[in-house]
Amino acid sequence: MNTLRAAIVGAMVMPALVQAGEIAQVKSAHDVPTTMDALEAAVNGAGATVFARVDHAGGAAKVDLELAPSELLIFGNPKLGTPAMQDDALAGLYLPLKVLVYADAAGDVWLSYEEPKAMLGKLDGVSTEAEYLAKMAGALGKLTAKAAGE
């Protein structure tokens, strides 16, 4: 019951952010392309490197399948990612960071990403108290909030 109460209070205080276990979701005020453009601009503005922008819906259309608008941005900053990989080379399976921007069945647009502590904290060499995990989480939170129009 306490967990439900905390979820309700949290949703009332911060309606744009939904925690779904290991996945953070931020509701956007814009459509998918506008949100993705804003996210890419925010990432570039923060000095990180954009490695790829994947248009899942575009890929589906190329094989005559339908998919709601969905794009993935893959980006990183060696100052944050390298220490994780120094602690455990398997961190390279999870890095660079990724944010998915998609429209759900109701037409709402979301920015979603895996929480760094959940993603990398399961590796033997990465301490869940590692400073870079908090920095990654903070960066993802700021970048997605900016792209969402908050």
Side-chain angles (χ1 to χ4, degrees), residues 1-149:
M1 188 67 160
N2 288 338
T3 304
L4 177 59
R5 187 175 301 127
I8 292 169
V9 170
M12 291 167 57
V13 172
M14 196 174 205
L17 176 65
V18 177
Q19 289 293 113
E22 297 180 353
I23 305 294
Q25 294 186 282
V26 179
K27 189 172 182 181
S28 178
H30 311 290
D31 63 11
V32 170
T34 302
T35 301
M36 183 57 84
D37 289 345
L39 178 61
E40 188 169 3
V43 167
N44 285 323
T49 301
V50 172
F51 296 108
R53 181 170 170 169
V54 179
D55 181 355
H56 290 303
K62 288 180 182 179
V63 294
D64 296 323
L65 295 173
E66 289 185 29
L67 185 65
S70 177
E71 294 188 40
L72 181 75
L73 194 69
I74 302 169
F75 62 94
N77 181 334
K79 289 182 181 179
L80 293 179
T82 301
M85 293 173 60
Q86 288 172 330
D87 286 347
D88 193 320
L90 292 176
L93 289 170
Y94 303 100
L95 299 173
L97 297 172
K98 294 167 275 311
V99 174
L100 178 68
V101 178
Y102 70 98
D104 66 15
D108 292 324
V109 174
W110 297 91
L111 295 103
S112 300
Y113 59 90
E114 192 168 5
E115 290 287 353
K117 187 179 276 191
M119 180 174 57
L120 297 171
K122 57 189 160 197
L123 299 175
D124 290 337
V126 175
S127 166
T128 57
E129 302 305 315
E131 184 179 338
Y132 53 79
L133 292 177
K135 288 181 179 180
M136 286 178 189
L140 285 164
K142 289 177 186 172
L143 293 169
T144 55
K146 188 171 187 176

